[in-house]
Amino acid sequence: MLSKNNEMMNRDLEVIWHPCTQMKDHETLPIIPIKSGKGVYLYDFEGNSYIDAVSSWWVNLFGHSNTFINEKIKAQLEKLEHVLLAGFTHEPAIELAHKLVNITPEGLAKVFYVDNGSSAVEAALKMSYHFHLNNGKKKPVFLSLTNSYHGETIGALSVGDVALYKETYEPLLIANKQVPVPVDQTQEAAEAALSILEKVLHDQADEIAALILEPLVQGAGNMHMYHPAYLIGARELTRKYGVHLITDEIMTGFGRTGKMFACDHAGISPDFMTLSKGLTGGYLPLSVVMTTDEVYSAFYCDYNEYKAFLHSHSYTGNPLACTAALATLELFEKDDVLGNNEKKSRYILERAEKIAELSNVKEIRQQGMITAIELQGYSAEDRIGISVYKYALTRGVLLRPLGHVVYFMPPYTISYEEIDKMVDVAWEGIAKVNKES
Ligand SMILES: *Cc1c(COP(=O)(O)O)cnc(C)c1O
């Protein structure tokens, strides 16, 4: 007889095509059916538990099935599940927009609701292009950083630079150009990259609508990190050359980098900020594009001037999702989340020191509640991350390395004991592949 997990897996594989997956891998690699979640733990159908060390693709902030968020959503569910946001509005969308305006950098004054990260990036790109057009300028090119990731719809993919996702679709993409991301976390690297940015803007600002970047940490780009000086410089240069700055805080937002927003480390305010992932605490798909009164005003006129931003999604500003987001922000207000995270980050780094001693570890880097361990001596074909992933699962930890980078990005509610377990298991997994190689 098949085990309950295997039974579920087989039923899954009959009909589901999974994201970011070569499905043939699952001839040998089991799919894990999850029955329930609580706190940092996920439970399968046979009662095995897994510490969710990647916050279910970077979305979860306060644990699975969080009682406080659950109650808020249940209460909202009894009132209103959804209504269109054109011509109509509702309380959760209004309250959330006010809160977001209050907590994001000065100058971001308007909230455009979307329903997932990639779509927020699409909306920001379109808004930027359209803003310039409304001001009589045609600027069809977008600038982004090497090694960047902004999502996988066509526009978002165009401004990304991860070959694995982008290369195949190259003929379909919109006009884009990349400037180098700072090579490491030093200020010198930031300054070197800024001098190239300055040159490109100097030569081509006429055709460039916006520079889009992931502030401080490039998530899907193997958790590459750089110095906030780059953000300060990029803000000055984009302003000087009449190019928008779009900060994609879909991953970095809501405390992940140690401050509420990564932009806060540099004290900058962008023309557009995209937010999603942690926005709803990891509960429901929702995203926003935040922008300035200046941008908003460029679209504000009589209907027959045809300058309106006619972009929409069916589930824009869903009330349940907005409620989850409001509950999530309330949790930030109730506790010193960022202060506690600072202590936890420091502890994770201390505990990870023994991992740095392994000969197949190149470096460990950290930015707030993101800690990345870069392995060395492997080629892409080794798929070394999968070996670590498989080992960690046998020990009850969900790590999902990006290529040869193992990382910790746990829910903020992780306890010190759970951190010990997470780090120990990563150490064991990395030591194991070191011995085998
Ligand atoms: C995840 C991510 C996106 C895309 O969001 P989706 O909701 O997965 O479409 C965009 N930008 C960054 C920085 C991300 O991490």
Side-chain angles (χ1 to χ4, degrees):
M1 211 184 82
L2 279 177
S3 72
K4 189 69 189 163
N5 277 354
N6 281 337
E7 195 183 305
M8 294 297 288
M9 175 175 86
N10 290 343
R11 267 182 73 68
D12 171 293
L13 288 173
E14 276 169 17
V15 286
I16 300 183
W17 189 345
H18 287 261
C20 206
T21 300
Q22 169 49 262
M23 291 303 295
K24 190 165 188 289
D25 280 355
H26 288 306
E27 286 183 7
T28 52
L29 188 68
I31 284 188
I32 299 171
I34 294 301
K35 187 175 182 186
S36 64
K38 192 70 198 169
V40 298
Y41 291 100
L42 295 167
Y43 299 94
D44 69 17
F45 280 74
E46 290 163 19
N48 301 307
S49 64
Y50 308 89
I51 293 180
D52 187 353
V54 298
S55 293
S56 282
W57 264 351
W58 321 343
V59 298
N60 194 290
L61 301 188
F62 295 107
H64 294 278
S65 197
N66 181 293
T67 311
F68 183 77
I69 304 176
N70 287 1
E71 291 308 318
K72 295 279 182 180
I73 294 175
K74 282 183 205 165
Q76 178 59 37
L77 187 57
E78 295 298 332
K79 285 193 262 180
L80 175 69
E81 82 301 334
H82 187 65
V83 63
L84 78 168
L85 204 64
F88 287 76
T89 192
H90 55 84
E91 199 172 0
I94 297 168
E95 292 315 314
L96 178 59
H98 276 283
K99 281 219 162 141
L100 290 173
V101 167
N102 283 338
I103 63 172
T104 51
E106 190 78 39
L108 295 173
K110 290 288 188 284
V111 177
F112 188 89
Y113 279 107
V114 203
D115 57 15
N116 67 81
S118 302
S119 297
V121 169
E122 298 282 338
L125 297 175
K126 283 175 68 181
M127 260 183 199
S128 173
Y129 172 78
H130 199 160
F131 168 92
H132 295 298
L133 202 62
N134 281 353
N135 284 331
K137 286 186 221 132
K138 206 162 199 161
K139 300 177 119 199
V141 180
F142 293 97
L143 195 58
S144 61
L145 302 187
T146 52
N147 191 50
S148 58
Y149 178 88
H150 297 287
E152 289 168 60
T153 53
I154 299 294
L157 197 60
S158 305
V159 292
D161 186 44
V162 177
L164 185 65
Y165 308 130
K166 184 173 186 177
E167 224 161 51
T168 312
Y169 307 102
E170 205 69 62
L172 308 181
L173 304 181
I174 61 174
N176 66 92
K177 184 178 171 70
Q178 278 73 49
V179 284
V181 68
V183 293
D184 57 34
Q185 285 175 289
T186 62
Q187 187 157 351
E188 297 75 63
E191 278 157 15
L194 282 170
S195 68
I196 300 175
L197 174 63
E198 163 115 61
K199 189 169 180 333
V200 170
L201 288 176
H202 176 270
D203 295 345
Q204 296 175 55
D206 280 357
E207 52 179 25
I208 297 170
L211 165 66
I212 180 168
L213 50 78
E214 296 155 274
L216 294 193
V217 186
Q218 295 184 313
N222 294 348
M223 300 295 165
H224 181 72
M225 298 175 187
Y226 62 89
H227 196 279
Y230 187 80
L231 298 176
I232 298 172
R235 175 66 286 189
E236 281 169 10
L237 290 171
T238 46
R239 195 169 275 137
K240 175 174 167 192
Y241 287 100
V243 166
H244 286 139
L245 177 64
I246 306 173
T247 57
D248 177 354
E249 295 234 19
I250 288 170
M251 181 202 70
T252 53
F254 304 101
R256 199 38 92 172
T257 64
K259 291 190 188 280
M260 199 58 175
F261 300 100
C263 284
D264 297 339
H265 290 273
I268 61 152
S269 186
D271 301 291
F272 300 91
M273 181 184 275
T274 53
L275 297 169
S276 187
K277 290 202 165 110
L279 171 62
T280 62
Y283 267 69
L284 288 157
L286 182 72
S287 63
V288 297
V289 179
M290 314 258 322
T291 192
T292 60
D293 278 325
E294 188 199 357
V295 169
Y296 178 80
S297 305
F299 293 80
Y300 196 89
C301 59
D302 288 329
Y303 187 84
N304 289 340
E305 288 182 54
Y306 297 107
K307 286 183 172 182
F309 189 61
L310 301 179
H311 181 105
S312 57
H313 295 283
S314 312
Y315 283 101
T316 288
N318 173 264
L320 298 173
C322 289
T323 299
L326 281 167
T328 300
L329 291 179
E330 248 185 272
L331 287 172
F332 276 101
E333 290 161 14
K334 282 165 92 160
D335 280 319
D336 181 17
V337 176
L338 300 182
N340 291 334
N341 280 357
E342 197 180 331
K343 293 185 199 115
K344 284 180 187 175
S345 311
R346 216 175 303 132
Y347 185 69
I348 291 172
L349 199 57
E350 272 167 33
R351 287 295 330 267
E353 263 169 31
K354 65 171 177 178
I355 300 181
E357 289 161 13
L358 295 167
S359 63
N360 59 342
V361 172
K362 184 176 172 204
E363 74 163 4
I364 299 189
R365 49 183 180 266
Q366 185 182 61
Q367 179 69 59
M369 283 297 271
I370 307 171
T371 308
I373 304 151
E374 183 163 341
L375 306 186
Q376 61 187 356
Y378 303 102
S379 69
E381 287 72 38
D382 293 334
R383 302 187 76 189
I384 201 67
I386 298 228
S387 305
V388 177
Y389 168 79
K390 279 193 198 160
Y391 174 79
L393 285 178
T394 67
R395 297 274 287 112
V397 179
L398 163 50
L399 295 169
R400 201 173 192 279
L402 288 154
H404 59 296
V405 174
V406 179
Y407 66 92
F408 305 126
M409 205 158 148
Y412 303 160
T413 48
I414 192 167
S415 70
Y416 285 85
E417 293 73 35
E418 289 155 355
I419 289 174
D420 286 343
K421 165 117 193 214
M422 173 179 82
V423 176
D424 286 345
V425 168
W427 178 82
E428 290 164 18
I430 295 168
K432 185 163 180 283
V433 296
N434 199 24
K435 235 181 286 157
E436 285 165 3
S437 58

